[in-house]
């Protein structure tokens, strides 16, 4: 599974989404008719470390991370708790190896905001992620309607 395959899946299956490239990542945003400057995050694909996000060691050869913003209750159901916000440049205090590939994990930095992630998901893992992607999409639509 390549990052472009995931982004293409989202654009083809999540109506009113757009692709935005910024900050070294590609993001899928809900933004009907481009009414907002960017839109509302659904998910991102990050392919390199950033100054404040090095927990997954994305600078390794051919490693990328799919990041999905889910509802808090979903995150708690998956991981038991929402961690505290880490200090700048740090990672959340949770007992996970954030460098593991093909495993659904809390996001190493944004778990405090109920984001989950997977490094280099295989097809079977992406199938497990599709309901979370759909949830993130529906959640983005709700946030969008509150901004209108």
């Amino acid at each position: 599974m390549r990052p472009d395959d995931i982004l293409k899946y989202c654009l083809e299956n999540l109506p009113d989404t757009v692709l935005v490239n910024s900050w070294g990542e590609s993001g899928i945003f809900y933004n009907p008719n481009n009414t907002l400057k960017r839109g509302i995050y659904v998910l991102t694909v990050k392919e390199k470390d950033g100054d404040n996000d090095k927990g997954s060691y994305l600078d390794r050869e051919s490693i990328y991370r799919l990041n999905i913003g889910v509802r808090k209750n979903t995150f708690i159901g998956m991981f038991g708790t929402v961690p505290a916000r880490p200090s700048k440049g740090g990672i959340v205090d949770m007992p996970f190896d954030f460098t593991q590939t093909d495993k659904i994990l809390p996001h190493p930095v944004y778990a405090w905001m109920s984001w989950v992630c997977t490094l280099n998901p295989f097809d079977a893992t992406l199938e497990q992620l599709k309901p979370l992607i759909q949830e993130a999409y529906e959640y983005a639509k709700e946030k969008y309607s509150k901004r209108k």
Side-chain angles (χ1 to χ4, degrees), residues 45-62:
V45 174
K46 189 167 179 75
E47 298 184 69
K48 65 180 183 175
D49 287 335
D51 290 342
N52 296 310
D53 184 355
K54 298 179 182 180
S56 297
Y57 298 106
L58 298 177
D59 288 342
R60 294 175 286 162
E61 175 105 18
S62 301

Side-chain angles (χ1 to χ4, degrees), residues 2 13 21 97 125 129 131 148:
R2 296 179 333 223
N13 292 283
N21 294 302
D97 176 359
T125 302
L129 289 167
K148 291 291 299 170

Side-chain angles (χ1 to χ4, degrees), residues 27-98:
I28 298 292
F29 290 79
Y30 180 72
N31 197 5
N33 302 312
N34 291 308
T35 53
L36 299 175
K37 183 176 180 181
R38 286 184 185 272
I40 307 294
Y41 273 112
V42 175
L43 60 80
T44 66
V45 174
K46 189 167 179 75
E47 298 184 69
K48 65 180 183 175
D49 287 335
D51 290 342
N52 296 310
D53 184 355
K54 298 179 182 180
S56 297
Y57 298 106
L58 298 177
D59 288 342
R60 294 175 286 162
E61 175 105 18
S62 301
I63 297 291
Y64 71 93
R65 186 180 65 216
L66 172 62
N67 311 294
I68 306 168
V70 297
R71 289 183 172 89
K72 184 177 180 179
N73 62 346
T74 299
F75 187 93
I76 290 170
M78 294 173 71
F79 303 111
T81 186
V82 174
R85 184 178 188 168
S87 59
K88 186 175 182 177
I91 62 172
V92 293
D93 184 16
M94 296 183 85
F96 295 93
D97 176 359
F98 297 112

